[in-house]
Amino acid sequence: MPASRPDATNVELSGAPAIDAALLRRLRAQAARLSRRAVDVDDLVQEVLLAAILAGRTDAAWLAGTLRRQAALAARGAVRRRRREDAVGECLHARQACDVPALPALPPMPPAAQRVARLVLHGLDAAEIRWLLGISPQAFRQRLVSVRKSVAAAPAEVRAALRAFAAAPVPHRAPMPRPMGPARRVLQSAGLGGALGTHDPSGHLLLIRRGAHIPASSGNVSA
């Protein structure tokens, strides 16, 4: 079967009569009527020919019906793809429109408490912070108390800057293009312990495992 023009020659199918050039031309003409873009015509015909090979069918009525169904599937897929692309575009635009101020200087506090403060200011919740730092709920509460004491003792302008940053829109919490409830339920039922689940703007699931990659003085190594 030629890769460029499917009507250039006959198509031989094992156990079925050959599809001659005239039938291929009719299929291309039908595909041209059903396709919204000229560049999709040959792809649609090739898909029908592949289906014919798998089914061992070459009769004109079956080929025409299969082509109509393939065209309908392609059209629905194109509509869903455009919706996803539009939703992702709106999501990214919303993120770019968020005028998030730079992270203000933190008041003096222990390094462990400072790490918790930075993660809190960037929108992570308690469970996410405990997972990322590998600490117990009690250790998290102790560090949070230290953060609060340090902030309370800071000058008024420092406290105001921290409040402004915490109240600003968080870009990574912008609305996603699709409801993620079903995906969360799938992840929970999968029992993927020791991993943090998230997703990109398109809704593709991402799993982050703690300890999967660690830096070393001699370079990056895998754990």
Side-chain angles (χ1 to χ4, degrees):
M1 184 189 308
S4 56
R5 297 276 299 183
D7 60 348
T9 186
N10 293 355
V11 178
E12 298 287 344
L13 301 182
S14 178
I19 300 177
D20 58 25
L23 181 52
L24 283 173
R25 285 194 294 271
R26 290 199 296 273
L27 286 175
R28 289 198 80 255
Q30 182 185 4
R33 292 193 298 269
L34 297 172
S35 299
R36 297 186 178 184
R37 302 186 308 168
V39 295
D40 296 333
V41 172
D42 285 345
D43 290 340
L44 183 57
V45 173
Q46 294 287 359
E47 290 176 2
V48 173
L49 293 178
L50 177 59
I53 292 173
L54 295 175
R57 298 285 297 271
T58 59
D59 48 292
W62 185 91
L63 292 170
T66 301
L67 193 147
R68 286 193 298 270
R69 288 191 293 273
Q70 291 290 345
L73 287 173
R76 287 195 293 270
V79 170
R80 290 193 294 267
R81 183 172 60 253
R82 284 196 299 272
R83 288 175 179 171
R84 289 195 301 268
E85 292 172 351
D86 291 344
V88 170
E90 292 174 1
C91 176
L92 294 177
H93 177 74
R95 294 177 180 210
Q96 294 168 358
C98 290
D99 186 15
V100 180
L103 178 65
L106 296 174
M109 64 181 70
Q114 188 176 99
R115 286 193 289 271
V116 169
R118 290 180 179 275
L119 293 173
V120 169
L121 287 171
H122 280 88
L124 277 72
D125 62 25
E128 292 169 336
I129 294 172
R130 292 198 305 267
W131 183 89
L132 287 170
L133 299 181
I135 59 178
S136 66
Q138 181 181 3
F140 171 76
R141 288 193 295 270
Q142 291 173 347
R143 297 183 191 187
L144 195 58
V145 168
S146 179
V147 171
R148 288 170 175 167
K149 288 181 178 179
S150 299
V151 172
E157 59 271 18
V158 174
R159 296 197 304 271
L162 291 172
R163 284 195 298 269
F165 184 88
V170 183
H172 71 266
R173 295 289 173 86
M176 288 292 105
R178 66 182 68 183
M180 296 305 297
R184 290 191 179 96
R185 289 193 292 272
V186 170
L187 287 174
Q188 291 171 353
S189 64
L192 299 172
L196 182 67
T198 184
H199 48 79
D200 65 11
S202 299
H204 299 117
L205 299 178
L206 302 173
L207 290 178
I208 304 171
R209 295 188 181 277
R210 186 175 61 246
H213 185 269
I214 57 175
S217 58
S218 58
N220 291 331
V221 297
S222 297

